[in-house]
């Protein structure tokens, strides 16, 4: 049985497992499901002290026994796959197949369905995961997300230190507020969406990094600037920060090879009933985190 704390709730309510429950997106999904009365079990790797308000399963996505315990009695799963390799997902997908919950998989809008190989390793993993889930007969609801606004949290130390945010340039995309993705995920988990085409969750406008940094500055009442650095400098900085080499190479590949996208969809609104929010709104709402 999973290591659980907190209320378990009546058995007839939907019971939903949220993976990555301590992450930027996962914690928003947990909060929304709880607010809508669902019984939620969050998968975390480290219990890290009391986590009130939900039931918690402690384990790794790559550990079949932990996944079996975490999946016991759940009707639906919000699945992320934050690894750089889909091979270790085979066992997890087998456990999903045995438990047969509804699966909502969080993928990437950067997938090109016509391509034999995707632009970079991160997008390739998402394409592989979608295929694995489909081949296992799980009929997942696939939410392909654009770049999450919450990635901007990584700029906070630079914003506190000065007016320049530097980093690798990355293709312009319709950055999406993770709260909208979480609302869409909650709707997909609690509703009965039989759509077999992936949802493409984007924000309302296409932004470069420079645009995002300027909008963040506006929210803070400051003139912030973005300065692009070369891939080599980005690589050496990330390695110096202690990030794993494989992740660093994947991020560098994404910055060099991911194509620009001018796609803006209404799929957030289709799932949630209201339009996607702007990055400017996200920046205002999160300004305190950069002070
Ligand atoms: N960021 C984007 O722009 C973007 C765009 C499209 C799709 N996505 C997808 O969205 C996912 C969630 O994004 P996010 O910003 O919420 O990421 P995040 O804040 O880094 O959260 C990821 C969570 O996954 C957990 N995790 C990592 N490896 C795990 C493992 N082996 N077993 C169990 N849990 C594990 C982490 O747990 P710990 O707390 O223990 O480290 C963390 O809580 C990403 O992983 C990616 O697949 C992201």
């Amino acid at each position: 049985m999973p290591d659980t704390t907190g209320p378990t709730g009546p058995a007839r309510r939907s019971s939903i497992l949220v993976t990555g429950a301590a992450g930027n997106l996962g914690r928003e999904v947990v909060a929304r499901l709880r607010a809508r009365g669902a019984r939620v079990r969050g998968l975390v790797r480290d219990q890290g002290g009391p986590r009130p308000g939900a039931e918690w399963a402690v384990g790794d996505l790559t550990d079949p026994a932990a996944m079996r315990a975490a999946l016991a009695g759940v009707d639906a799963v919000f699945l992320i796959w934050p690894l750089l390799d889909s091979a270790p997902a085979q066992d997890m997908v087998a456990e999903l197949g045995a438990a047969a919950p509804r699966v909502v998989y969080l993928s990437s809008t950067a997938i090109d369905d016509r391509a034999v190989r995707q632009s970079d390793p991160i997008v390739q993993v998402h394409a592989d995961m979608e295929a694995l889930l489909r081949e296992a007969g799980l009929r997942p609801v696939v939410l392909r997300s654009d770049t999450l606004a919450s990635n901007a949290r990584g700029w906070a130390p630079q914003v506190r230190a000065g007016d320049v945010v530097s980093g690798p340039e990355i293709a312009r995309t319709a950055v999406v507020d993770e709260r909208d993705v979480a609302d869409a995920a909650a709707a997909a988990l609690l509703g009965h969406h039989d759509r077999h085409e992936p949802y493409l969750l984007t924000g309302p406008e296409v932004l470069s990094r420079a645009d995002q940094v300027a909008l963040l500055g506006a929210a803070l009442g400051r003139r912030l600037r973005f300065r692009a650095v070369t891939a080599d400098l980005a690589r050496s900085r990330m390695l110096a920060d202690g990030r794993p080499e494989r992740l660093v190479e994947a991020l560098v590949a994404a910055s060099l090879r991911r194509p620009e996208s001018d796609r803006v969809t209404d799929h957030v609104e289709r799932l949630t009933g209201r339009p996607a929010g702007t990055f400017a709104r996200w920046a205002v709402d999160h300004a305190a985190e950069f002070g």
Side-chain angles (χ1 to χ4, degrees), residues 262-275:
D262 58 4
R263 183 171 46 204
V264 170
T265 74
D266 65 352
H267 294 191
V268 165
E269 185 166 6
R270 282 197 214 169
L271 278 163
T272 69
R274 46 160 199 77

Side-chain angles (χ1 to χ4, degrees), residues 9-291:
R12 292 181 70 82
R13 277 191 290 160
S14 286
S15 181
I16 300 173
L17 178 68
V18 175
T19 64
N24 283 313
L25 183 58
R27 59 177 177 255
E28 299 285 347
V29 176
V30 168
R32 276 151 183 78
L33 293 173
R34 291 195 61 235
R36 291 176 64 175
R39 180 178 163 183
V40 184
R41 185 179 295 162
L43 182 74
V44 289
R45 284 193 292 188
D46 177 3
Q47 177 88 29
R51 293 179 188 266
E55 194 179 310
W56 300 100
V58 178
D60 196 290
L61 281 160
T62 60
D63 176 349
M67 287 308 294
R68 194 171 316 136
L71 285 164
V74 306
D75 309 304
V77 177
F78 177 66
L79 180 66
I80 67 164
W81 189 256
L83 285 78
L84 290 170
D85 186 356
S86 60
Q90 302 270 1
D91 288 343
M92 184 276 297
V93 171
E95 295 300 333
L96 281 176
R102 286 190 310 113
V103 175
V104 174
Y105 177 63
L106 199 276
S107 184
S108 167
T109 49
I111 289 178
D112 177 352
D113 288 311
R114 295 156 307 179
V116 179
R117 296 298 298 167
Q118 300 299 323
S119 58
D120 59 80
I122 294 172
V123 183
Q124 186 64 50
V125 165
H126 286 302
D128 292 346
M129 288 300 298
E130 288 187 16
L132 259 180
L133 293 166
R134 277 195 309 270
E135 284 157 16
L138 284 157
R139 297 163 62 88
V141 175
V142 173
L143 304 181
R144 289 185 181 169
S145 170
D146 216 314
T147 308
L148 297 175
S150 50
N151 293 353
R153 287 192 168 117
W155 296 334
Q158 293 191 71
V159 171
R160 286 189 205 107
D163 290 337
V164 176
V165 172
S166 71
E169 190 59 271
I170 194 157
R172 286 158 24 101
T173 60
V175 176
V176 61
D177 189 322
E178 71 282 1
R179 297 171 297 184
D180 289 333
V181 177
D183 281 336
L189 288 158
L190 294 169
H192 294 282
H193 295 269
D194 285 336
R195 182 187 157 98
H196 300 306
E197 291 295 303
Y199 287 93
L200 306 176
L201 305 179
T202 75
E205 57 192 340
V206 175
L207 299 172
S208 65
R209 295 234 151 159
D211 297 331
Q212 279 185 270
V213 168
L215 288 165
L216 184 57
L220 299 172
R222 292 170 52 191
R223 286 175 66 86
L224 297 181
R225 285 183 297 113
F226 178 70
R227 188 170 64 221
V229 301
T230 63
D232 282 345
L233 182 54
R235 178 187 288 108
S236 55
R237 279 190 189 170
M238 288 191 277
L239 290 171
D241 282 349
R243 298 223 212 175
E245 194 172 344
R246 190 144 175 237
L247 173 63
V248 169
E249 289 310 326
L251 292 171
V252 168
S255 76
L256 292 173
R257 291 194 233 133
R258 203 168 289 182
E260 290 235 333
S261 168
D262 58 4
R263 183 171 46 204
V264 170
T265 74
D266 65 352
H267 294 191
V268 165
E269 185 166 6
R270 282 197 214 169
L271 278 163
T272 69
R274 46 160 199 77
T278 61
F279 183 76
R281 175 81 253 162
W282 184 93
V284 167
D285 291 346
H286 294 82
E289 296 175 35
F290 294 84

